[in-house]
């Protein structure tokens, strides 16, 4: 999609090459995902575990939809929330080192149905590492919802239980996904251009 057809914040006008997924399309897709998730979890309820920071938009939008379904369809899936923070990227490269920084006491997840809510799966290494950590606290079950999955030859083969969109092997920003902490305040999933990468480079 061409940039000028969408509401792009003025401060990012020169830093993007295209809109890959407009906010409206994301919204529709999340509605569907919420339905699939509610069907799978039922009255047992679930703990939605938000992977910060990039997962926060997807997390709040997905939970709103699940709450809406509970209301409108008379489904009742009790929701608890929890947060974990992972960091692996500097500029547009994975540092390879995945750090868990902060989050609640993971022991609280023992015996629970856990839904991990992530922004994007690239190589899949971050999620595999997180799943290893989570399995250590023995939840009843773990499912993963990722808004985006990249089609990349660097993939470890990992696939989440719920996927919003598959995207090509490019670096994207917006909808809470960042480039060195910028672009989280952009509603659409967009491709960053060279000017943007230079402007917001880490050094
Ligand atoms: P993986 O370990 O799967 O290679 O990388 C996963 C993490 O890298 C994601 O959770 C996300 O934080 C970051 N990441 C991967 N690809 C992109 C991208 O295209 N844009 C942004 N902003 N972050 C990405
Ligand atoms: Mg992430
Ligand atoms: Mg990031």
């Amino acid at each position: 999609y061409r940039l000028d057809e969408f509401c792009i914040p003025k401060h990012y006008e020169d830093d993007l090459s295209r809109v890959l997924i407009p906010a409206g399309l994301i919204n529709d897709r999340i509605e569907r995902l919420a339905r699939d998730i509610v069907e799978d979890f039922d009255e047992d309820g679930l703990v939605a575990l938000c992977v910060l920071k990039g997962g926060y938009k997807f997390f709040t939008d997905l939970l709103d939809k699940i709450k809406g379904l509970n209301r409108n369809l008379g489904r009742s899936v009790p929701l608890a929330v929890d947060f974990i923070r992972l960091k692996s990227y500097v500029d547009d490269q994975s540092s390879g080192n995945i750090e868990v920084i902060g989050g609640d006491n993971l022991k609280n997840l023992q015996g629970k149905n856990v839904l991990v809510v992530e922004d994007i799966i690239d190589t899949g290494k971050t999620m595999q590492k997180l799943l290893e950590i989570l399995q250590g606290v023995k939840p009843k079950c773990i499912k993963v919802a990722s808004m985006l999955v990249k089609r990349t030859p660097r993939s470890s083969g990992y696939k989440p239980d719920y996927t919003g969109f598959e995207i090509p092997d490019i670096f994207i920003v917006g909808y809470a996904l960042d480039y060195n902490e910028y672009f989280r305040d952009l509603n659409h999933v967009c491709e960053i251009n060279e000017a943007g990468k230079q402007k917001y480079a880490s050094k």
Side-chain angles (χ1 to χ4, degrees), residues 89 118-120 122-126 150 170-172 178:
Y89 265 61
E118 171 68 303
D119 52 358
I120 183 167
D122 184 2
T123 64
K125 285 180 189 150
T126 303
K150 229 182 251 190
I170 54 175
F171 193 80
I172 52 94
D178 74 311

Side-chain angles (χ1 to χ4, degrees), residues 41 45-51 59 79-85 100 102-117 130-143:
F41 278 90
L46 61 99
V47 182
L49 179 66
C50 177
V51 184
F59 184 77
L79 272 176
V81 298
D82 211 336
F83 300 85
I84 190 168
R85 174 135 191 244
V100 177
D104 210 348
N105 189 352
L106 290 180
K107 285 202 186 106
N108 295 337
L109 300 176
Q110 189 175 354
K112 301 281 170 61
N113 295 316
V114 178
L115 177 70
V116 180
V117 182
L130 176 59
L131 289 174
E132 256 177 58
I133 295 169
L134 292 178
Q135 264 137 19
V137 300
K138 303 206 185 324
K140 188 164 154 204
C141 85
I142 308 176
K143 299 255 179 153

Side-chain angles (χ1 to χ4, degrees), residues 5-72:
E5 290 168 18
F6 294 90
C7 229
I8 302 290
K10 206 159 183 56
H11 50 281
Y12 293 141
E13 258 172 20
D14 302 327
D15 308 325
L16 304 165
S17 47
R18 62 174 158 149
V19 176
L20 200 67
I21 315 171
L25 213 59
I26 298 174
N27 187 62
D28 290 352
R29 181 69 189 112
I30 294 178
E31 172 101 47
R32 301 250 162 197
L33 284 176
R35 283 171 191 268
D36 293 345
I37 289 167
V38 165
E39 304 246 310
D40 291 352
F41 278 90
D42 279 348
E43 281 77 24
D44 265 2
L46 61 99
V47 182
L49 179 66
C50 177
V51 184
L52 294 170
K53 298 178 186 175
Y56 86 86
K57 278 282 286 173
F58 181 37
F59 184 77
T60 54
D61 289 349
L62 183 65
L63 264 57
D64 280 350
K65 300 282 187 201
I66 293 176
K67 283 187 283 184
L69 290 176
N70 276 343
R71 219 174 22 245
N72 298 332

